[in-house]
Amino acid sequence: MAVMKFGGRILSNLFSRPATLNYPAEPREYPERSRGHVEFDPTNCILCGICSKKCPSHAVSVDKKGRTVSIDRKSCIQCSYCVDSCPKGCLSMRPGYCEPGASIPVDVFEVPEKTVSQKETD
């Protein structure tokens, strides 16, 4: 008799689409205005270091002597304080998250030297 109680549920599940997503085969579409990960555009960066000072988890660090900006993806809490505080708009939030793994991904970006003609146009 127990089969009769959930027999309707069995039949509906047999002829309906699966409730889960086919995630690895189909990339996920994130909703609008979702926070994902920090993107960095080194072309306008002036290495002021405001983004690293505003980051509450210290995921962003700026090396002025080495002219590099590094972002620790696992430490980032996607709060967008660094994005909001960047005076040149070099940082932006993009949908998508870093994939899980055994290693800790740290992205290091080199900021190019600006030539005299580039400084005059800015």
Side-chain angles (χ1 to χ4, degrees):
M1 283 310 226
V3 173
M4 298 304 266
K5 289 184 179 178
F6 61 88
R9 173 70 71 181
I10 292 173
L11 288 176
S12 68
N13 286 341
L14 282 174
F15 297 109
S16 65
R17 295 182 61 200
T20 58
L21 299 176
N22 193 11
Y23 172 67
E26 297 174 9
R28 181 179 170 131
E29 293 182 22
Y30 295 98
E32 188 178 334
R33 296 180 49 107
S34 67
R35 296 183 193 171
H37 66 278
V38 178
E39 288 283 323
F40 179 68
D41 180 24
T43 56
N44 293 332
C45 185
I46 57 174
L47 296 169
C48 61
I50 295 175
C51 55
S52 65
K53 292 176 186 172
K54 292 284 186 170
C55 182
S57 63
H58 304 291
V60 179
S61 61
V62 177
D63 181 17
K64 293 181 182 181
K65 291 182 182 178
R67 299 192 60 82
T68 59
V69 175
S70 61
I71 301 173
D72 184 2
R73 300 288 179 194
K74 295 291 183 182
S75 295
C76 182
I77 58 173
Q78 292 89 20
C79 64
S80 79
Y81 285 161
C82 59
V83 174
D84 297 337
S85 66
C86 183
K88 291 291 189 174
C90 300
L91 298 169
S92 60
M93 296 296 285
R94 297 282 181 236
Y97 301 97
C98 62
E99 296 177 3
S103 64
I104 299 174
V106 177
D107 294 335
V108 179
F109 302 97
E110 292 185 17
V111 179
E113 286 277 345
K114 289 190 177 186
T115 60
V116 177
S117 62
Q118 287 178 338
K119 289 181 182 177
E120 292 173 357
T121 59
D122 290 342

